[in-house]
Amino acid sequence: MKLRSKLDAPVHKNLIYILPGLILYAAFVFGPIVSAVGISLTDWNGLGLPTWVGLQNYAGLFSDERFYLSLKNNAELMVFYCVLPLGLGIGLAAILWNMKPREQLMLRTMLFLPYIMPTAVLGIIWAWLYNPAFGPINQGLRLLGLGSLALPWLGDFTFVLPAVGLVATWYFFGFCMVIFMSGMQRLDPNLFDAARVDGATGLQTFRTVTLPLLLPEIRVVLLLTVIASIKSFDLIFTMTRGGPANATLVPNIYMYQLGFQLNRFGYAAAVAIIGAILIFTVNYAIHRLVRPADEGAN
Amino acid sequence: MSSQLNRTALPLRLTLWFFGLLTIFPFSLLLLTSVKSQPDLMRGAFVLPDYPHFENYLHAWIDGHFGVYFWNSIFVVVPVVVFSIVLGVLLAFGFAFLSFPGRKALFVVLTIGMMVPAEAFIIPLYYEMRYLGLTNTYAAVILPQIAQSMPFATIFLASAMQQLPDEILEAAILDGASRRHILWHVILPLMVPAMSTLALFLFIWTWNEFLIPLILVNDDAYRTLPLGMLFFQGRYTVNTPVLTAGAVIVIAPLVLAYLIFQRKFIAGLTAGAGK
Amino acid sequence: MRNIGKKSLGLTALKATGSAIAACVFGLAVVQSAQADGLNVWDDYTFEGQSATIEQLNKAFEAAHPGVTINRTARTFDDMKLTLKLAVSAGDGPMVTKVNQGAGDMGTMVKEGLLQPVDAYITKFGWDKLQSDSLIARDRWSDKGQFGEGPTYGISGLGEMVGLFYNKKVLEDAGLPVPTNFDEFTADLDKLKEKGIAPFMIGTSKQHMALHMIATVSQAHVDAAKRSTLDDLIYGRGGSWKTEGNVTAASLIQKWATGGYFYPGFQGISGDDAVQLFVAGQGAFLISGTWYFGDMQNNPDIHFMPFPAPHGVEKPLTVGGVDLAWSITSLAKDKATQDLAGEYINYMVSPEAALTWAKAGYLPSTILPDNADFQASTLLKEGIAMWKQVNANNALGHYPDWSAPTLLKTIDDATPHLLAGDMKPEDFVGAIDADYQAYLASKK
């Protein structure tokens, strides 16, 4: 804080530093966000003049079955976006942590790879992998004599959501693992020695010592994956466009359909705003609920 | 770490290798398919071709316009990364060390941009671009992505600046150096690791961006790679080898950057995430 | 929805100076007296064969009009749907464009004043003598937003029919005749199934094969003499989708889908995939449109015919229509540009252009002269003969989704349930009708 005062100067001289970035941000992000809120209060086909309808769009959403369906699908997707990558990530990190550096590096490099890829392209690749007629997955199943498991994945009501969800799990688990690895490196090795002296098994140590200390990482992983699941668009857009029969419809896809296919831009904006509010709420909840045990004490 | 820790039980190691192979399996299949001919592919997804058909890449690059999309991606990514970092450094310096009215409020406003998905404001953004006459220009893809990078760049760089050792800055101030001098000649050199990590992130995010070019650009001449891939898929659903060759063109630069910088990348990522 | 199967990548020529030229042209065009010398044109001919044909036609037009430049932009069907309205209203769009008929696109654009009537050019060039009124009516929108009447806002260059593709070799190998009526057809299906051959090749995950199939079976129940009910429905004059024919068609398709008559895994493959499999010799029948001729003619065993009608229907309707219409947008601001646009469209629907399309393997909407001399695939010959017959019978049906802007989405949502057997055919038809009635009510 002392430093700040020494580097500080009268406001008009400070503004040179912050204004260029802030103006750009205001022009192309914050301004449009505010306008979106405005549009959500109108009925607008994207061409003529918008008609003011107040909160009617939001009221409409509360009785919109498709919107509820999209929320329900999103909740189910969270299992694949958040829970599975989190579990797998912690488990794999615990194993990997003890490995020889060279092997560790190789595995880490492999497991992390999907996370740097464009999800839109991954969606296209996986749609091909899942293709019942031409795709490798079903061909592989038949080769293994498991032809009865060769389902029409992305066309099957029951399996389409898990099929899309598993791609998200595949995308995220290596990333989660790497974050947990770094968390484990932060921990004091003496704690484990102490636990071992106490006669705790590996699993017990993990549960009673490692896990609580990893809460900051768990929070970060939850935050990132939950937000990603609510924001999910690219993957579903390229794999199923929300189909079949809305089985993978999520709010962002619904918004796209409403706006750019059905020209109901006001209603679409309301869906988008609700989605944003959802993200804020979840963000806040995770910050409040998942907090390291010692945070209050310090 | 004691040596006994390095002896991980074999089943556990195998589990890990299983997952490792699972992650790269689709990519290997992609690579294999991209050098097959259509008849090769019809014989089965796992059958090796008689000889590699590298002409698929040529087909994708020229007929599939992946060459155009590739250069468009470069034309978009470079300015986004450069300007985001320059503006981000200035903003971060401001938020880390300077005072101005509404500092806290402005910070909240910035973080809002990090949480609201682009889907939420893409419609007004489209109309704004249209009003400015920028749709179907590189600017339409570049400007919003710089703006979108501001929150993360600011927060990331500001926290890195705050972690700089006080003594160095103190010394510079005692020397009577000007503020501009301190920023460019004292802080900036120390920020190179953080900035290069940020550059890597911005490169990957911008390279992968899908929605902004999807909506703001509808002229094929300005499409970036992920978009090109989508439209290419529509035209060549049946030509899987060329489609996969196109996918390899999209991801190759990412994999290359990742393999070269992966330590830095993972370190930066986990450091950024730990806050 | 029509040729959404053709959704594909635009083959836009990369002209660095293109937009600059366009800007100059536009600037000149504002001056009333200036000679129009450039035309920004959008089309949806993105398949390689189509793209080459339209480029050829554009060159011929430029050659016939010295000093005129056509600035072509190709857009996929989906891409067009997404961008056309926005681009024209923004002022950076085309002067001549292809527009999807129906309420969603053409109807909306007419309402917002983004399209100009072409009636003057119909009279001037006599387009009504080249194409039947039933075809041109599909481009009419009244000032009150009534489809099928009022001024005409475009005209199409290509015709489309949904019919029955069959693989003659597969049928012969199974010892079955080519069906001539509905009963023979269903008998073939049963025998094929017994022999373990998929009777129908179909893919429902993308494109709209199931919709086309349902519409085809349903409209084959309608005699051309009694078509007014269907016309009224499509043109928004009222009526109900809850007809016996529709329920019968939906039940039949449900029976086929759940009873193992469809190629296994059909839910997970796209219409385009299904066509590839069909060309590769999988399945005996495939119901889809003439826009697949280009792929289908790769297998000489594949033929095309009208869907066999039930007994008692003399002139059954064939689902179909025309491809996206050529229209003049509000961006053709002065008379000179409008006239140039009119001439361009005139060339696109001329017998000369029709012949060029036919030579490339596509079905022109302008009836070809009988003495037209060209080599056509068997498939295209079958298609052209059928087009003549259908037009002579006034038996060209409709795409159901044209009748209401949200109907395509409603049908897309309901169809997988119908095919999976967890939605009653009555409820399926009911869902369509509910959407339609809601649209009618909203227009009042």
Side-chain angles (χ1 to χ4, degrees), chain A residues 40-101:
Chain A
S40 74
L41 303 173
T42 67
D43 181 14
W44 188 37
N45 69 1
L47 291 176
L49 284 176
T51 327
W52 179 264
V53 295
L55 292 171
Q56 198 181 304
N57 287 328
Y58 292 92
L61 276 178
F62 280 103
S63 54
D64 183 342
E65 276 176 43
R66 273 188 199 158
F67 183 62
Y68 282 116
L69 178 65
S70 74
L71 289 178
K72 191 188 118 236
N73 288 338
N74 215 148
E76 284 177 31
L77 274 178
M78 280 188 194
V79 174
F80 296 95
Y81 269 82
C82 317
V83 180
L84 284 179
L86 187 104
L88 273 175
I90 289 194
L92 295 179
I95 306 173
L96 192 61
W97 187 54
N98 283 340
M99 282 189 169
K100 294 189 195 92

Side-chain angles (χ1 to χ4, degrees), chain B residues 9-54:
Chain B
L10 191 66
L12 290 178
R13 281 179 62 192
L14 286 181
T15 314
L16 215 55
W17 276 102
F18 168 77
F19 278 102
L21 292 176
L22 204 66
T23 48
I24 59 162
F25 182 66
F27 298 116
S28 331
L29 214 51
L30 196 67
L31 221 51
L32 173 67
T33 310
S34 73
V35 293
K36 281 183 174 183
S37 67
Q38 286 269 47
D40 288 337
L41 191 66
M42 280 301 187
R43 284 190 284 133
F46 306 101
V47 181
L48 293 177
D50 297 330
Y51 63 93
H53 292 260
F54 291 114

